[in-house]
Amino acid sequence: QQQVKQSPQSLIVQKGGISIINCAYENTAFDYFPWYQQFPGKGPALLIAIRPDVSEKKEGRFTISFNKSAKQFSLHIMDSQPGDSATYFCAASYSGNTPLVFGKGTRLSVIA
Amino acid sequence: GAVVSQHPSRVICKSGTSVKIECRSLDFQATTMFWYRQFPKQSLMLMATSNEGSKATYEQGVEKDKFLINHASLTLSTLTVTSAHPEDSSFYICSARDSQGAAGNTIYFGEGSWLTVV
């Protein structure tokens, strides 16, 4: 049973455009929703994270939108750049020493 | 942000030997660390949860006698792949939970270790 479903699997965006990646979760006990960026051969780097008490969080060009009732959250990358080309993972966890549950990842390619 | 250091970044070992991978939280204490395995173009697969001072909790299908995990201090966890075989070749990544940071309960990842068994 996949607890976090991520889409699309791959995404191609023109430079300067908006990249949008969506995730849906099933476990209503989840209370922490991070996004990670991973470049080939590197470990995932925390990009931005949100908790269910807010509907949106913005850090620079990256924004998380969170819809608690729909059990969905999304990552928006504004003014996408070729350097943003990477694999993005959404994840979820709940309080305590529980591990993250990951989506399957989205391979983003930003083309000039 | 917080840093998790993983060493070695790449290691080649002969089949039948053991190899140890270290994971350190550099600027925070991590009571809980996690070990993942990642195959090419796939998501991270959780192998085990490592709690400081206690036995690790392994995910179903992960051989605890083959993948030995030790979390002897609040800043160090190790993964030892024993009697390695070519099918153990993979990208191993650790992560550590910072429960005391400003953001609260944030999980940071190491840069990963490429293991090649020949």
Side-chain angles (χ1 to χ4, degrees):
Chain A
Q1 181 186 13
Q2 185 183 353
Q3 295 192 56
V4 178
K5 294 184 178 180
Q6 184 173 346
S7 63
Q9 186 175 359
S10 62
L11 180 62
I12 300 174
V13 173
Q14 291 275 356
K15 178 182 176 182
I18 302 173
S19 303
I20 302 174
I21 305 171
N22 300 299
C23 281
Y25 63 97
E26 299 170 6
N27 190 340
T28 55
F30 287 147
D31 61 2
Y32 176 64
F33 303 90
W35 284 89
Y36 289 87
Q37 178 189 58
Q38 186 178 30
F39 293 104
K42 300 293 185 182
L46 178 64
L47 199 58
I48 187 172
I50 199 169
R51 299 191 184 275
D53 52 345
V54 297
S55 61
E56 186 176 281
K57 183 176 181 180
K58 183 177 181 179
E59 290 185 2
R61 295 185 294 113
F62 302 94
T63 300
I64 297 181
S65 296
F66 184 80
N67 186 329
K68 188 174 181 178
S69 61
K71 292 187 289 185
Q72 294 176 347
F73 59 110
S74 61
L75 175 69
H76 291 62
I77 305 175
M78 312 299 288
D79 187 26
S80 299
Q81 299 296 313
D84 296 329
S85 298
T87 299
Y88 292 82
F89 292 97
C90 64
S93 72
Y94 48 89
S95 299
N97 293 326
T98 55
L100 290 167
V101 178
F102 281 91
K104 291 192 174 183
T106 297
R107 298 187 73 184
L108 170 65
S109 296
V110 181
I111 56 176
Chain B
V3 177
V4 175
S5 174
Q6 197 169 331
H7 177 81
S9 58
R10 290 182 177 274
V11 57
I12 301 173
C13 71
K14 291 184 177 182
S15 184
T17 63
S18 297
V19 62
K20 180 185 289 186
I21 300 170
E22 293 186 346
C23 179
R24 295 181 184 272
S25 57
L26 297 184
D27 54 2
F28 64 97
Q29 293 184 331
T31 55
T32 305
M33 292 184 174
F34 307 94
W35 286 94
Y36 294 83
R37 185 173 180 177
Q38 187 177 34
F39 294 101
K41 298 184 180 180
Q42 293 190 23
S43 188
L44 289 79
M45 182 186 77
L46 180 67
M47 298 176 66
T49 299
S50 167
N51 293 302
E52 186 267 337
S54 63
K55 291 184 178 180
T57 302
Y58 290 82
E59 294 299 301
Q60 189 174 9
V62 178
E63 299 177 60
K64 62 179 181 180
D65 294 330
K66 180 170 187 60
F67 298 100
L68 299 179
I69 291 173
N70 182 276
H71 194 158
S73 78
L74 287 171
T75 59
L76 174 65
S77 177
T78 60
L79 167 68
T80 301
V81 182
T82 63
S83 187
H85 290 281
E87 56 265 32
D88 298 326
S89 299
S90 189
F91 190 48
Y92 293 88
I93 313 172
C94 72
S95 67
R97 180 186 300 277
D98 179 6
S99 57
Q100 302 298 318
N105 207 29
T106 303
I107 296 176
Y108 299 97
F109 282 82
E111 291 195 347
S113 298
W114 285 99
L115 170 63
T116 302
V117 184
V118 297

